Amino acid sequence: MAVSRGLRLAAWQLGRSFASMLGLALVAVIVVLALIGPWIVPYPDDVEGAVRLAGKLQPPSAAHWFGTDEVGNDVLTRTIIGARLSLLVGIGITLAAAAIGVPLGILAGTAGGRVREIIMRLTDLFLSVPGLVLAIALVAALGAGIVNAMIALVLVWWPGYVRLAESKALSIREEAYIEAARVAGAPRLRILWRHVLPNSISPIIVKMSMDIGQAILAVASLGFIGLGAKPPTPEWGAMISIARGYLPDWWWYAIFPGAFIYASVLGFNLLGDGLRDILDPRSNRG
Amino acid sequence: MLVYLLRRIALAGLMLFGLVCLTFAIANLAPSDPAALAAGPDAGRSQIEQVRREYGLDRPLPEQFLRYVSDLVQGEFGRSVATGRSVGRDLARYFPATLELCLVAMAFGMVAGISLGMLSALFKDRWLDHVTRIFAVSGIALPPFWFGLLLQLGFAAWLGWLPTSGRIGVSTDPGDPITGLLLVDSLLRGNGPLFVQCLSYIALPALVLSLPCLASILRVNRSEMVEALRADYITAARAHGVSRWRLVTVHALKNAMLPTLAIIGLRWGWMMSSTVLVETVFDWPGIGLYAVSSAIAGDFKPVMGVTLIIGLNFMLVNLIVDLLYGVLDPRLRHA
């Protein structure tokens, strides 16, 4: 009862803000495209890179809404299929980073002492270099490609979650209900799982929502500079990287995939902003 | 104050050492063989072994690490495999271009971000506020490389107002570098036309680079100004008849500046790392483009060098911000 009332209140608050609804709508469109993409695209053969040189670099028309690329593939088809890949890697990177960072952060925040010292210094170290540069260094060491790009991004992404979970766990550790559970003889793991984690989950969810967008952008960035997905994989960043050579005359080829990156990052950011106002109103800044 | 200062500097030194360890770890934990990388793709087994001995890669890891550190202390970053040139010298050549780009972008981002944040707070919940907030969220979401291409398309290809890419015209001679920053050098020489030309080349990449920074400065400054304008001392100052302009620009802004300063420090590092994208789009001859072209060629040392330089920059700027904090906020000195 209380839960459903809370949910209704949250939904009402979310619905009241135009920015949050815009975010939700953008995310919904990307998710739907990712789910049903392969069944709705007009030219399914073009996903893996069919060659139709006769119809190359045609401007947008009724047959090809977003025009065609340098081997005659339909840009609309490849952009829609790109949504699936981008969403998958965005969610994958965020989940993996949270799965590494959150337990470490909660451990650091509740254990204290030397354990905390080691975890937090390691975290500071990774945060001392801007993520994108560190990711490029890692990809350079591991070799280019979409899987290595994902590994590199997870490796630079987890420390943010350690910081967040640690600061939440530190403040929760002092709460009376934790003291009560400890006095009642609850085992330590149970306290962490049942009391500390649920009470620190709101800001983590907010951060994850924002990070999916940022991870999509990061993967596209690596694809653009040639260290991520390799053509003919229909990845937005890699598509723009090739399309760049066909500017300014064949402008549609670069414009549409980029607009999709923009829309999905904007969607997740706006949604995260809206969720923060509801779930975590005290930290509403920056 | 002295204790605060010393403690902060010691911490920065420790972080720097950690960064050196981190780059060493990346270079050595990767599955690829550094000797094979250094010898190049066409090398035979005996050549690889020779390179291994030459670079000391057959020595135990702790010994290699000591050598790496002592080389770095002497400013020796190793050699590029692709060109055979010294990475330290390359970095010294490319860094001024990146520094110039980031300085111009940061200056623009600060001026525009602080003034828009101030206006937004003054007209809170009016249309100006809504417009600037939407602008701020989009500024963070725009892919910099795509925005750069759009600007090239609009301002260079279609309108023809600005050059597409590069730092200076191909046939223009910038003269011997004085500071390495072309805008400053041309002013020092009193060369007006060259200054205007450099400005036209730097305008688009600096605008792209500044946008995320501008957006987050705007957001922080707005929320801090809203808070500050609500404070009792503002009501008191108003009661004393202080003018509205002075109230906002002197009393409220001063108190909103501390968190804004922190975000500027953070953004400086991110800005330097975004140069890898922006410099690629605009063919800007800085360390970002250097890192990307080296990474694609599998040339490892330059990438590590750029990582170290950007990490060092990030640390230095955050150190400066922390020290400024100590100066501006007396409470911190005693904490």
Side-chain angles (χ1 to χ4, degrees), chain A residues 125 128-130 133 141 225 244 262, chain B residues 18-19 32 138 269 273 280 296 314:
Chain A
L125 182 56
S128 70
V129 192
V133 173
I225 56 182
R244 190 185 160 215
Y262 179 42
Chain B
L19 178 62
S32 51
S138 3
S273 78
T280 304
I296 290 173
F314 195 33

Side-chain angles (χ1 to χ4, degrees), chain A residues 6 17 37 45 52 65 79 84 96 98 108 110 130 149 172 181 195 217 236 249 253 265 277:
Chain A
S17 144
D45 294 345
R52 315 172 205 281
W65 292 1
T79 306
R84 180 169 260 232
T110 50
I172 287 168
H195 300 287
L217 184 55
W236 293 336
D249 294 339
Y253 187 8
V265 180
D277 289 344

Side-chain angles (χ1 to χ4, degrees), chain A residues 23-165:
Chain A
L24 191 65
L26 287 172
V27 169
V29 169
I30 297 293
V31 169
V32 167
L33 284 182
L35 285 176
I36 65 170
W39 293 277
I40 59 161
V41 293
Y43 301 89
D45 294 345
D46 293 2
V47 175
E48 292 306 323
V51 178
R52 315 172 205 281
L53 287 175
K56 70 172 183 181
L57 296 170
Q58 286 176 355
S61 63
H64 300 281
W65 292 1
F66 290 1
T68 62
D69 66 12
E70 84 282 11
V71 286
N73 287 333
D74 183 45
V75 175
L76 175 67
T77 299
R78 292 175 57 79
T79 306
I80 289 178
I81 297 298
R84 180 169 260 232
L85 183 68
S86 291
L87 194 65
L88 219 62
V89 293
I91 293 175
I93 290 169
T94 308
L95 279 180
I100 299 172
V102 172
L104 280 177
I106 288 181
L107 184 67
T110 50
R114 191 168 292 170
V115 177
R116 169 162 188 270
E117 206 48 35
I118 293 174
I119 296 176
M120 295 318 290
R121 285 294 86 82
L122 201 64
T123 304
D124 287 346
L125 182 56
F126 272 85
L127 290 175
S128 70
V129 192
L132 188 61
V133 173
L134 198 56
I136 289 174
L138 281 162
V139 176
L142 295 168
I146 183 99
V147 177
N148 286 345
M150 281 180 74
I151 294 174
L153 286 170
V154 171
L155 283 176
V156 301
W157 222 290
W158 63 268
Y161 287 93
V162 178
R163 273 263 173 97
L164 188 63

